[in-house]
Amino acid sequence: MGVLEGLGLGLETALTPANLLFCLIGVALGTAVGVLPGIGPTATIAMLLPITFGLEPVTSLIMLAGIYYGAQYGGSTTAVLINLPGESSAAVTAIDGHEMAKRGRAGPALATAALGSFFAGTVGTIALALFAAPISRAALEFGPAEYFSLVVLGLIASIALASGSTLKALAMIVLGLLLGTVGQDIYSGTPRFTFGQRELYGGLNFVSLAVGMFGVAEILRNLEGETKRTVTVAKVRNLWLTKEDVRRITAPVLRGTGLGTVLGVLPGAGHVLASFVSYSVEKRVSKHPQEFGRGAIEGVAGPESANNAAAQTSFVPLLTLGLPANSIMALLVGAFIIQGITPGPNVITDEPALVWGLIVSMWIGNLFLVLLNLPLIGLWVRMLSIPYGVLFPAIIAFASIGCYSLGLNAYHVYAVAFFGILGYFLIKLGCEPAPLLLGFVLGPLLEEYLRRALIISRGDPTVFLTRPISLVLLVLAAAAFVLAVLPAVRRKREDVFEDE
């Protein structure tokens, strides 16, 4: 199926009333959680997974994807108006966006964020449409050895790009891999790490782990530091850009879109990395670098375009290789599996309506976001006045009911509580839960491809080195590991020399 035929099928799928409605619901929820700091799209998607079981696969994925890229829009609104980024990728936008707001130019800043995001989202969607099918066809040439090496590369690259301690990120990956081995052996059926509990024979429940680690743990952390919020937002006027504004933002939007399109496919927080890199590039190429940090409109246009383009292209490895680029994509892998669909290179041929419908819905969702964000700015910001003490009990109750409905089994609710407490203590220790989720999702795949490759090669471990593609992927994984470890080693040596 060609790109034009695929887009035609996608339009037919995405424009059904149900899919349009859930696309709108998804982007509206995404905007809301982007505005509200402390909740975030990861926790929201994790808690909404149970209610998507009753929906058609394409409908549920359209809604969940809308929450993800909608949050990138929502985070910029409060970043500009009250210097409070709802999303980590919007932290860069706050630097110059809020300075513009203090000078009475909040309208142009928000218009720049919305229009730049729409353009970048459109380009990112086009890139996804153009490259999804060719990459899927190339991936069909991969065997078990190549897939094993690809998963190893994905895990190592996520460590290299993770923020914070490399050692802790590696520990979280290993813990996730270990949790993924709980249950019956995939070939012999022998129980592993079940401790005699029948509920563990089928493995740990993905939804319970995700809701606990990202929903409950985040709520506990926020409650610890919760303070009363007071929000006063003046009415935003003059949302139109002047000719000078358009001239100044054109090049940054194009550069940010290009950076985001490329960096979005990288494992880890590609959209966050893209926004920071874009800001650095704009400051470096600007003829007036002294304006940055004091209200430069380029400092809003570039990062906002970059993070939204990256949000779209992060779907490329998910839809073509079945590999999640970040924790949110890992949740979407779980959503695929829950719906009985195995993500990977065969999806685009086995489920063309789902893949192309999802791709086209992203463009429709970006259009919805422009219409939602600019006219309803006051509404989104007023949401910050809702006391967190009112929000969190409703969120936990909603998540518990959803998890219980998985199998009408209280065990799933106990699992949510357990992983919530575990996630809270991991956060307190400075460990990111995202690598753990990636390890948990990719662990069973890693084991399956390893054992398949060894069975085919009659137990010869050199199969991973004698196959050229597998060897290249392992060399790249080794290089990524060295890049991740060297800065930590260098800092340790510098600390030793300073002590001497």
Side-chain angles (χ1 to χ4, degrees):
M1 181 180 290
V3 174
L4 292 179
E5 292 176 352
L7 291 175
L9 177 61
L11 276 171
E12 184 182 338
T13 304
L15 291 178
T16 61
N19 289 340
L20 280 175
L21 174 63
F22 280 94
C23 181
L24 180 61
I25 291 172
V27 296
L29 280 172
T31 301
V33 300
V35 167
L36 290 169
I39 299 178
T42 309
T44 305
I45 291 173
M47 290 184 287
L48 285 176
L49 276 178
I51 71 167
T52 64
F53 299 161
L55 300 174
E56 289 293 323
V58 65
T59 305
S60 65
L61 290 166
I62 283 173
M63 183 184 74
L64 296 175
I67 293 171
Y68 173 47
Y69 57 81
Q72 311 309 315
Y73 272 77
S76 65
T77 301
T78 45
V80 169
L81 294 180
I82 56 176
N83 200 26
L84 186 64
E87 264 293 286
S88 53
S89 57
V92 184
T93 306
I95 299 172
D96 285 284
H98 187 59
E99 288 297 319
M100 289 180 67
K102 289 197 294 187
R103 295 182 179 186
R105 302 200 71 223
L110 292 168
T112 297
L115 297 175
S117 296
F118 176 71
F119 175 80
T122 301
V123 173
T125 304
I126 292 171
L128 177 58
L130 290 175
F131 295 116
I135 293 174
S136 292
R137 285 194 293 270
L140 289 173
E141 303 299 322
F142 281 28
E146 286 81 6
Y147 269 112
F148 170 81
S149 302
L150 185 63
V151 173
V152 170
L153 174 60
L155 291 172
I156 298 297
S158 68
I159 295 170
L161 295 173
S163 60
S165 168
T166 301
L167 182 62
K168 289 178 181 178
L170 179 60
M172 288 297 96
I173 288 281
V174 173
L175 180 57
L177 292 173
L178 291 174
L179 291 174
T181 63
V182 174
Q184 291 178 302
D185 182 274
I186 56 176
Y187 287 101
S188 67
T190 305
R192 301 181 298 186
F193 306 113
T194 58
F195 305 104
Q197 299 296 315
R198 285 187 180 276
E199 290 85 354
L200 293 177
Y201 275 40
L204 293 170
N205 184 270
F206 172 80
V207 177
S208 298
L209 183 143
V211 171
M213 282 285 182
F214 290 96
V216 176
E218 192 66 22
I219 287 170
L220 292 175
R221 187 184 68 82
N222 288 328
L223 284 174
E224 186 182 54
E226 173 64 11
T227 57
K228 185 176 177 61
R229 290 191 296 248
T230 57
V231 180
T232 305
V233 181
K235 188 174 181 179
V236 177
R237 300 179 184 277
N238 192 23
L239 288 168
W240 296 105
L241 296 173
T242 65
K243 288 183 179 179
E244 176 64 14
D245 290 335
V246 172
R247 186 189 65 79
R248 291 184 63 176
I249 71 171
T250 300
V253 166
L254 293 173
R255 282 191 289 264
T257 299
L259 283 169
T261 301
V262 174
L263 295 177
V265 301
L266 295 177
H271 59 290
V272 180
L273 179 65
S275 61
F276 276 88
V277 171
S278 175
Y279 188 84
S280 300
V281 168
E282 293 311 317
K283 189 173 182 180
R284 188 175 295 274
V285 302
S286 174
K287 295 179 180 178
H288 309 286
Q290 69 279 2
E291 292 184 12
F292 281 75
R294 299 179 181 177
I297 196 169
E298 296 89 343
V300 176
E304 277 300 301
S305 301
N307 72 50
N308 279 275
Q312 312 296 320
T313 55
S314 62
F315 284 85
V316 171
L318 171 67
L319 294 177
T320 58
L321 303 172
L323 294 177
N326 52 52
S327 58
I328 296 176
M329 294 299 110
L331 289 170
L332 291 180
V333 169
F336 269 99
I337 294 170
I338 286 167
Q339 295 285 358
I341 300 169
T342 303
N346 288 314
V347 170
I348 200 164
T349 53
D350 296 343
E351 302 282 347
L354 183 146
V355 173
W356 289 106
L358 179 60
I359 290 173
V360 172
S361 76
M362 292 180 187
W363 185 84
I364 296 172
N366 275 282
L367 184 60
F368 280 153
L369 284 165
V370 173
L371 301 176
L372 280 173
N373 275 264
L374 293 180
L376 300 177
I377 288 167
L379 172 65
W380 298 123
V381 178
R382 287 190 185 90
M383 289 178 63
L384 286 165
S385 61
I386 301 173
Y388 202 68
V390 174
L391 279 177
F392 88 85
I395 293 171
I396 288 183
F398 176 78
S400 300
I401 292 169
C403 288
Y404 178 75
S405 68
L406 292 175
L408 300 179
N409 191 340
Y411 163 77
H412 295 309
V413 181
Y414 299 146
V416 169
F418 171 79
F419 285 115
I421 294 170
L422 175 63
Y424 171 74
F425 282 111
L426 289 175
I427 292 171
K428 294 293 288 182
L429 292 171
C431 299
E432 294 183 48
L436 184 149
L437 185 64
L438 287 174
F440 180 76
V441 170
L442 295 178
L445 294 175
L446 189 75
E447 180 187 8
E448 184 175 352
Y449 292 133
L450 172 65
R451 294 175 73 167
R452 277 190 195 177
L454 291 176
I455 289 170
I456 292 171
S457 67
R458 300 178 183 271
D460 181 10
T462 61
V463 65
F464 302 106
L465 302 177
T466 55
R467 295 179 69 92
I469 296 176
S470 175
L471 177 61
V472 170
L473 293 172
L474 288 177
V475 169
L476 291 174
F481 184 75
V482 170
L483 289 175
V485 172
L486 277 181
V489 173
R490 192 181 302 116
R491 282 195 298 270
K492 187 173 181 180
R493 290 184 62 188
E494 287 173 355
D495 292 342
V496 170
F497 289 133
E498 287 175 4
D499 292 340
E500 291 176 355

